[in-house]
Amino acid sequence: DEFDFSTADLGLFSAGGSVSAEYAPKAIAAGCIVVDNTSYFRNDPEIPLIVPEVNLHALDQHQGIIANPNCSTIIMVVALQPIHELSALTRVVVSTYQAASGAGARGMEALRRELAGEELEDSPFPHRLAGNLVPRIDVVLDNGYTKEEMKMVLETRKIMGLERLSVSATCVRVPVERAHSESIQVTTESPLELGAIEEAFERAPGLRVIDEPLDDRYPTPLQAAGKDDVFVGRLRRHPDEAVTYDFWVVGDQIRKGAALNAVQIAEEL
C-alpha cells in the first residue's frame, strides 16, 4: 500500500488478479512498467499478451502493462508457431495433462499427502487426485468449457494473431507434481512433410525435440521438470487427413509457463 512505484523501473506482478487490478495502474502512473502474470489483463485488446518466441513484435504496443499468458497456452504456442510459419494453421485440438503444482503449492502438498495415504478435507481439487484424473480445471462456463479451456482458446488466437483459428481444449488435472503435458492436433492449409516440421521444431527457440518412440525416447514430465525448454515428440501425420498432424508437448509450467516467460519479457524490455 505504501510502496513508491516511482523508485522501480519494472514490476513483476504475480499476486492475483485483484491485486494487479488495483496496483498495476498505480505502478504505471508512477512510471513503473508492469509485467503481469495474472489473467486480469490478458484479454484486453489494448494490452499485449506476449510469448517472446512467438510474438515479440507485439511488445512495441505496450502502454505500461504487458500480460503474461496462461501456462498451458505458453507451452502450446511455442510448439505451434514453427508449424504455422510453414503453413497457416486452420484448426487446433488440445488435451492437457496438467500437474498438481498448477494449483500452486497447496496442489503439490495435497498430492503428496494423498500419496502418503491421507484423506483430505482441505484439498484444492474437487476429487482425490492420487491414482485419479480430474477433467475440470477452474469453473465451468455456460458453453460447457472450463475457464482454463477457454483461456487456451482466446489466448492462442490473440498471441498468434489468428482471430478465426478454430481451437478446442480439454484440460485435465493429473497426479504429477510438476510439468504440464499436452496432446496437440493441428490442421494446416497445405500439406507438410514430417521432416520439414521436425526441422522447424529443431530450429525453433525454446523447443527441444525428443522423438525416437521405438527406443522409448519422448518427452515426459520428469524430464521437463525444472527445465527452461519446452519438449516435443511423438510427431505423426493423421492416418486419414493429409493436412492434420499430432504431437506431444511437455513443459515446466512454473518455469516457461510462468516465471521464465515473464523474465524473458523483462529482458527484452
Side-chain angles (χ1 to χ4, degrees):
D1 289 336
E2 299 176 1
F3 183 74
D4 181 2
F5 284 102
S6 68
T7 64
D9 298 315
L10 178 71
L12 298 173
F13 280 48
S14 193
S18 61
V19 175
S20 292
E22 180 177 357
Y23 290 99
K26 295 178 180 179
I28 64 171
C32 175
I33 296 174
V34 170
V35 178
D36 185 59
N37 199 40
T38 76
S39 63
Y40 188 79
F41 297 107
R42 290 176 186 162
N43 292 324
D44 187 324
E46 302 299 318
I47 294 177
L49 184 65
I50 301 293
V51 176
E53 294 88 346
V54 179
N55 66 332
L56 195 57
H57 60 277
L59 194 57
D60 296 336
Q61 304 166 11
H62 87 81
Q63 300 174 35
I65 300 177
I66 301 98
N68 204 32
N70 179 53
C71 53
S72 301
T73 306
I74 293 174
I75 291 166
M76 179 169 71
V77 299
V78 169
L80 292 183
Q81 183 64 20
I83 301 176
H84 180 61
E85 291 175 359
L86 295 175
S87 178
L89 300 179
T90 62
R91 179 169 157 271
V92 176
V93 180
V94 57
S95 296
T96 70
Y97 305 72
Q98 296 182 217
S101 52
R106 285 185 63 225
M108 294 180 73
E109 180 63 19
L111 177 59
R112 291 169 181 167
R113 289 168 62 190
E114 287 179 350
L115 290 170
E118 289 189 49
E119 293 292 335
L120 304 187
E121 296 182 358
D122 58 346
S123 174
F125 308 117
H127 296 278
R128 177 181 172 87
L129 187 60
N132 201 16
L133 301 173
V134 181
R136 178 185 74 75
I137 299 176
D138 214 325
V139 299
V140 179
L141 304 175
D142 290 342
N143 64 1
Y145 286 83
T146 66
K147 190 175 180 181
E148 179 82 359
E149 290 160 351
M150 290 309 298
K151 285 178 185 178
M152 297 192 73
V153 174
L154 299 174
E155 293 177 20
T156 298
R157 291 172 178 165
K158 182 176 179 180
I159 294 163
M160 301 190 72
L162 299 171
E163 294 181 3
R164 298 182 181 276
L165 180 64
S166 172
V167 183
S168 179
T170 300
C171 294
V172 181
R173 189 76 69 194
V174 299
V176 170
E177 278 203 9
R178 187 159 172 171
H180 289 355
S181 304
E182 302 179 358
S183 172
I184 303 172
Q185 182 179 92
V186 301
T187 300
T188 57
E189 285 187 353
S190 305
L192 298 169
E193 295 296 327
L194 290 181
I197 297 176
E198 185 153 331
E199 288 176 7
F201 281 159
E202 290 173 344
R203 291 192 305 267
L207 268 186
R208 192 186 308 181
V209 178
I210 304 177
D211 197 5
E212 297 176 14
L214 293 178
D215 295 325
D216 277 322
R217 296 192 68 249
Y218 30 68
T220 67
L222 285 177
Q223 284 175 305
K227 306 292 197 313
D228 285 346
D229 287 334
V230 172
F231 296 78
V232 61
R234 293 296 319 280
L235 175 64
R236 57 215 188 271
R237 188 193 304 274
H238 192 291
D240 301 314
E241 299 178 19
V243 291
T244 300
Y245 311 87
D246 292 277
F247 53 97
W248 173 253
V249 170
V250 184
D252 187 326
Q253 88 288 354
I254 300 173
R255 294 285 281 266
K256 180 53 184 171
L260 173 67
N261 201 75
V263 169
Q264 288 174 311
I265 292 169
E267 288 173 340
E268 290 296 333
L269 288 168

